[in-house]
């Protein structure tokens, strides 16, 4: 059976893996559509199960569906250069660079077994696409992969690649990210800055979230107190 006869995707939700396999019954295009539908259904079902521990079944199902969206993709054309990419214009965030100059949607790249190239924005600190295909993570280069996202990462999800890169360069360049995860989590200054960024990104996504706002104020106060006590010692 060759690679055009089936598609197989392994998903991970809350640490539990599930493999979805779809057999070809007609065209490759139909296979892609059927497989994408099957993967989406599996993700929705698993996320609904997880969210049901916090919300009611109806709300959990609605939230799971809203969080599980795939851009349309024609797998046959996935390895072609990005069509009509204007010179000097950025490539859309929902496309993955599967090899230099070649792009595909996250789902198509996963079907082909391609891995997105990680960008090292600071020594030891990489920028990677989150598993939802839309958001971005800053994480330790040596401990985190897209297949194993429970490795040490900073926590906040960024809406865009540019936003994540800018925060890293502006606010995180003073830390040594080549240290181990244990060393970094033991460093109070690192933890306080990361915590502040985490809650600031939460509030930026949903300003009406009172709980996130309270957490942000506490994070700001903790960082201010730390710097105050640190300067008094010096």
């Amino acid at each position: 059976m060759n690679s055009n006869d089936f598609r197989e995707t392994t998903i991970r939700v809350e640490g539990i893996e599930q493999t979805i396999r779809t057999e070809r019954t007609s065209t490759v295009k139909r296979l892609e559509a059927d497989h994408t539908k099957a993967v989406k259904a599996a993700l929705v079902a698993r996320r609904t199960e997880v969210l049901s521990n916090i919300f009611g079944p109806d709300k959990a199902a609605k939230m799971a569906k809203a969080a599980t969206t795939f851009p349309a993709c024609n797998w046959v054309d996935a390895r072609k250069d990005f069509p009509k990419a204007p010179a000097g214009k950025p490539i859309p965030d929902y496309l993955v660079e599967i090899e230099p100059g070649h792009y595909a949607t996250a789902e198509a790249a996963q079907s082909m077994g391609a891995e997105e190239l990680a960008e090292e924005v600071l020594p030891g600190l990489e920028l990677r696409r989150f598993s939802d295909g839309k958001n971005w993570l800053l994480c330790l280069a040596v401990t985190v992969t897209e297949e194993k996202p429970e490795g040490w990462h900073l926590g906040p999800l960024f809406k865009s690649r540019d936003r994540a890169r800018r925060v890293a360069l502006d606010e995180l360049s003073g830390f040594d990210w080549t240290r181990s995860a244990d060393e970094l989590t033991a460093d109070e200054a690192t933890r306080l800055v990361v915590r502040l960024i985490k809650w600031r990104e939460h509030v930026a996504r949903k300003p009406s979230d009172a709980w996130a706002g309270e957490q942000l104020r506490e994070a700001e106060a903790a960082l201010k107190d730390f710097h105050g006590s640190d300067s008094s010692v010096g």
Side-chain angles (χ1 to χ4, degrees):
M1 185 175 285
N2 64 46
S3 60
N4 280 333
D5 290 332
F6 71 95
R7 291 289 176 268
E8 197 170 87
T9 299
T10 299
I11 62 174
R12 177 194 286 267
V13 179
E14 294 295 314
I16 297 178
E17 288 189 351
Q18 177 182 350
T19 299
I20 298 91
R21 182 184 175 96
T22 307
E23 304 287 346
R24 178 179 174 180
T25 57
S26 58
T27 65
V28 172
K29 185 176 181 180
R30 181 63 187 178
L31 169 62
E32 287 298 320
D34 289 344
H35 185 63
T36 298
K37 188 180 296 183
V39 171
K40 184 174 181 179
L43 283 170
V44 169
R46 180 66 189 132
R47 287 170 177 168
T48 298
E49 182 182 343
V50 171
L51 291 170
S52 292
N53 295 326
I54 305 173
F55 306 99
D58 292 342
K59 185 173 182 180
K62 185 176 181 180
M63 293 173 68
K65 288 179 181 178
T68 310
T69 58
F70 298 146
C73 170
N74 181 346
W75 185 86
V76 176
D77 294 333
R79 283 195 178 274
K80 294 182 179 179
D81 290 341
F82 179 67
K84 300 180 181 178
K89 297 291 184 180
I91 300 298
D93 277 346
Y94 63 81
L95 292 179
V96 173
E97 186 173 20
I98 55 177
E99 59 185 75
H102 293 255
Y103 299 85
T105 63
E107 181 60 16
Q110 188 177 33
S111 295
M112 291 184 287
E115 294 184 1
E116 182 174 0
L117 302 177
E119 175 192 355
E120 190 175 48
V121 289
L122 292 169
L125 188 65
E126 287 184 348
L127 174 59
R128 289 180 176 270
R129 191 187 296 271
F130 187 53
S131 56
D132 63 5
K134 297 180 293 185
N135 295 292
W136 299 84
L137 278 174
L138 290 167
C139 48
L140 289 190
V142 294
T143 60
V144 179
T145 67
E146 201 160 358
E147 293 72 33
K148 191 177 180 183
E150 72 271 24
W152 202 82
H153 59 78
L154 302 198
L157 294 180
F158 298 92
K159 287 185 177 181
S160 70
R161 178 188 295 165
D162 287 342
R163 171 67 179 166
R165 185 190 298 114
R166 190 162 58 251
V167 167
L169 296 176
D170 290 348
E171 300 180 66
L172 301 174
S173 59
F175 299 106
D176 177 9
W177 298 104
T178 62
R179 292 176 290 173
S180 69
D182 289 342
E183 290 177 300
L184 285 165
T185 53
D187 184 336
E188 187 175 3
T190 305
R191 287 190 288 105
L192 289 173
V193 171
V194 169
R195 180 187 171 200
L196 175 64
I197 293 172
K198 172 183 176 180
W199 291 113
R200 190 181 64 208
E201 296 303 315
H202 272 284
V203 172
R205 288 171 176 277
K206 189 176 181 181
S208 62
D209 188 338
W211 182 67
E214 181 180 351
Q215 293 291 326
L216 175 59
R217 288 190 290 274
E218 290 180 2
E220 290 173 335
L223 185 60
K224 184 177 180 181
D225 289 344
F226 174 80
H227 283 312
S229 61
D230 186 51
S231 60
S232 62
V233 171

